[in-house]
Amino acid sequence: MIKILDSYLNPTSKWAPTESGVEPLADNILMNGQNTYNCSVTSTTFRQPPNSNRPSSLRNTNTNTNSNANDCTGGNPYTTTIRRGHKIRLRLINASSFFSYWFSVDNHTLTIVELDGVEIEPISARGVYLNLGQRVSVILAADQEVGSYYLRATIPKTCFVPYSTYTSAGLEDGGYAVRGVLRYAEDDSEEEDGKGSEIIEPIGVAGNTTNPYGVENNGLRGDVWEGCDDMPFNMPVPMRRQPAVNVSEANTHYIEYAFRQAQEVNRIFINKTSYSPLPHNATLWKAMEQQFTADKANSYNSWDFGLNQQVLHIPDAEQGAQIVINSKDAMEHPWHLHGHTFQVVGWGRGAFGSGATTWNLDNPMRRDTVTVPPNNHVVIRFAADNPGVWALHCHVSWHVEGGMFLTLAERPSDLVRMVGAMDPETKRLSQSFCGAGDDEGPSSR
């Protein structure tokens, strides 16, 4: 991972030697850590030295990075068992570093009941979309013929491939998807131990394996009916009703993001800032030293944190906060907020204020990760009830490293009092983790 990251942040990379900022593509997709793989396929992203030249302790017999078919076993699909006539809750999470997925089960309808930990009024669908970091719970009824059925997680190909300068040989060979197996059991004992009559080939027919949401925003879909967005923002309805929080001017911020060439490296800028981590420190500890007054903010909102940091001040404890996230990019991005579940209260095409914004203030959907469509805007709100220094960032790992990250300083005066009341030894250990307050810095990184 570190080698891939180092290559990505350079003017050129091993997989894209003529252009900077090209995200590395995976070789394979895993479901619960499992999948098959064609051992004859050579990685086109990051080719490792042959195993024969590596220490035996570092040889990997389960993954393939070379063309030698003896280097891997081929793997197995993930398999789970259910008794016919029963229902199960599938808890889904997208743990990818780059790709979103459309999840479906052959011959079965899913009932979506939860998004990012928020229970919603049930939605019946043939599949569900998960962007990076998003979690979904679906109820599946085993009401089909006894047999085995494919569980599918499929990449919406047109959302990613057209933006890359190269093709992943592994993903091409695997059809840009992973398949697991849902196996019906004849009785309770089979369901319990996973044994019983073996069904070699799953039965059933694949339903819709592409994301239908946001087709109108996917300018590179060609003739394929494929979107890259969350379901419509007003489609899920939280079961525990909450109106939109009221917000104050002091707690309201506007951000816009875009890719820009910074000398020889393609970076992502939010407003005027492209984020880089603080060396030997953390934003939390530097926040203790700040004076969050208007004259200290400057046009970068960097205060005294440094020009590679953007920290938005949320001082008002009596009102909620509102953040307008405005895309200046041609690709969708999953935005994630730490410390809060936010309300999605507004959305629309183009820049906020330049066109129409659809508002939903009655009982808006609450999430902690939202997909912002290309060249669109999304407005989120949350109660300012959790003093802290919270990250707001794109959930694509490579985009975070490329600068798509900012910080919210929520009620810093209350935070200072909380930290001041910490147990001294706990505080010392917390600071030593990143080197803050330690003249020698961290012993290792």
Side-chain angles (χ1 to χ4, degrees), residues 27 64 113 163 173 230 310 344 371 377:
D27 294 322
N64 176 60
V113 295
Y163 296 96
D173 188 78
D230 289 335
Q310 183 172 181
V344 183
T371 303
H377 64 272

Side-chain angles (χ1 to χ4, degrees), residues 79-405:
T79 303
T80 190
T81 306
I82 182 175
R83 188 181 179 190
R84 189 181 189 281
H86 287 199
K87 292 182 178 180
I88 55 172
R89 180 176 186 171
L90 300 176
R91 298 180 184 268
L92 312 174
I93 180 170
N94 182 347
S96 174
S97 61
F98 186 39
F99 296 123
S100 59
Y101 299 101
W102 179 259
F103 179 84
S104 62
V105 183
D106 290 3
N107 281 42
H108 289 75
T109 298
L110 306 177
T111 302
I112 307 167
V113 295
E114 171 258 322
L115 301 174
D116 291 352
V118 177
E119 303 94 337
I120 63 171
E121 295 181 5
I123 298 173
S124 181
R126 281 302 305 271
V128 64
Y129 176 75
L130 290 93
N131 214 328
L132 280 78
Q134 292 182 332
R135 290 91 61 210
V136 177
S137 287
V138 298
I139 304 297
L140 181 144
D143 54 7
Q144 300 297 305
E145 176 186 350
V146 171
S148 295
Y149 299 87
Y150 279 128
L151 308 160
R152 300 178 187 265
T154 307
I155 295 175
K157 187 176 173 182
T158 62
C159 304
F160 300 95
V161 176
Y163 296 96
S164 183
T165 61
Y166 80 108
T167 300
S168 166
L171 293 180
E172 280 283 325
D173 188 78
Y176 291 87
V178 57
R179 296 185 302 187
V181 177
L182 175 69
R183 177 182 168 281
Y184 279 27
E186 297 283 2
D187 55 43
D188 288 334
S189 63
E190 290 182 39
E191 183 180 1
E192 203 169 289
D193 61 21
K195 298 178 181 178
S197 57
E198 294 294 331
I199 300 172
I200 298 175
E201 185 64 29
I203 61 178
V205 178
N208 177 26
T209 59
T210 59
N211 180 18
Y213 302 126
V215 174
E216 68 279 4
N217 292 320
N218 185 0
L220 300 179
R221 70 181 186 276
D223 296 329
V224 180
W225 186 262
E226 185 170 69
C228 312
D229 299 354
D230 289 335
M231 66 178 70
F233 295 125
N234 57 359
M235 184 175 176
V237 178
M239 294 191 72
R240 302 182 188 185
R241 185 179 184 82
Q242 289 183 16
V245 298
N246 295 319
V247 297
S248 65
E249 183 65 28
N251 286 356
T252 300
H253 293 281
Y254 174 96
I255 65 173
E256 63 178 38
Y257 59 89
F259 284 79
R260 296 176 189 163
Q261 196 73 16
Q263 296 181 349
E264 296 181 326
V265 180
N266 192 18
R267 299 278 294 183
I268 304 102
F269 283 78
I270 302 175
N271 295 340
K272 298 179 180 181
T273 305
S274 184
Y275 165 85
S276 292
L278 292 171
H280 308 307
N281 209 336
T283 316
L284 172 65
W285 304 120
K286 286 186 71 68
M288 302 297 103
E289 309 162 0
Q290 302 294 316
Q291 295 181 24
F292 286 97
T293 56
D295 61 309
K296 297 287 186 179
N298 67 52
S299 63
Y300 290 84
N301 283 311
S302 61
W303 312 87
D304 290 325
F305 290 92
L307 290 179
N308 59 355
Q309 304 290 310
Q310 183 172 181
V311 181
L312 304 182
H313 187 207
I314 300 176
D316 192 349
E318 303 302 320
Q319 296 289 319
Q322 176 172 293
I323 311 293
V324 176
I325 305 175
N326 192 68
S327 170
K328 295 275 188 178
D329 188 40
M331 186 178 179
E332 53 83 18
H333 293 270
W335 279 84
H336 174 65
L337 175 63
H338 294 214
H340 289 277
T341 295
F342 53 73
Q343 301 171 318
V344 183
V345 299
W347 57 90
R349 289 182 174 274
F352 179 76
S354 66
T357 297
T358 300
W359 294 93
N360 180 11
L361 305 178
D362 184 40
N363 182 28
M365 183 58 206
R366 304 188 297 275
R367 306 199 69 153
D368 59 34
T369 306
V370 63
T371 303
V372 179
N375 297 303
N376 277 232
H377 64 272
V378 170
V379 186
I380 65 173
R381 290 185 183 181
F382 55 91
D385 58 1
N386 194 10
V389 180
W390 303 115
L392 176 63
H393 61 92
C394 176
H395 225 303
V396 174
S397 300
W398 314 112
H399 296 170
V400 171
E401 297 293 345
M404 209 167 180
F405 183 107

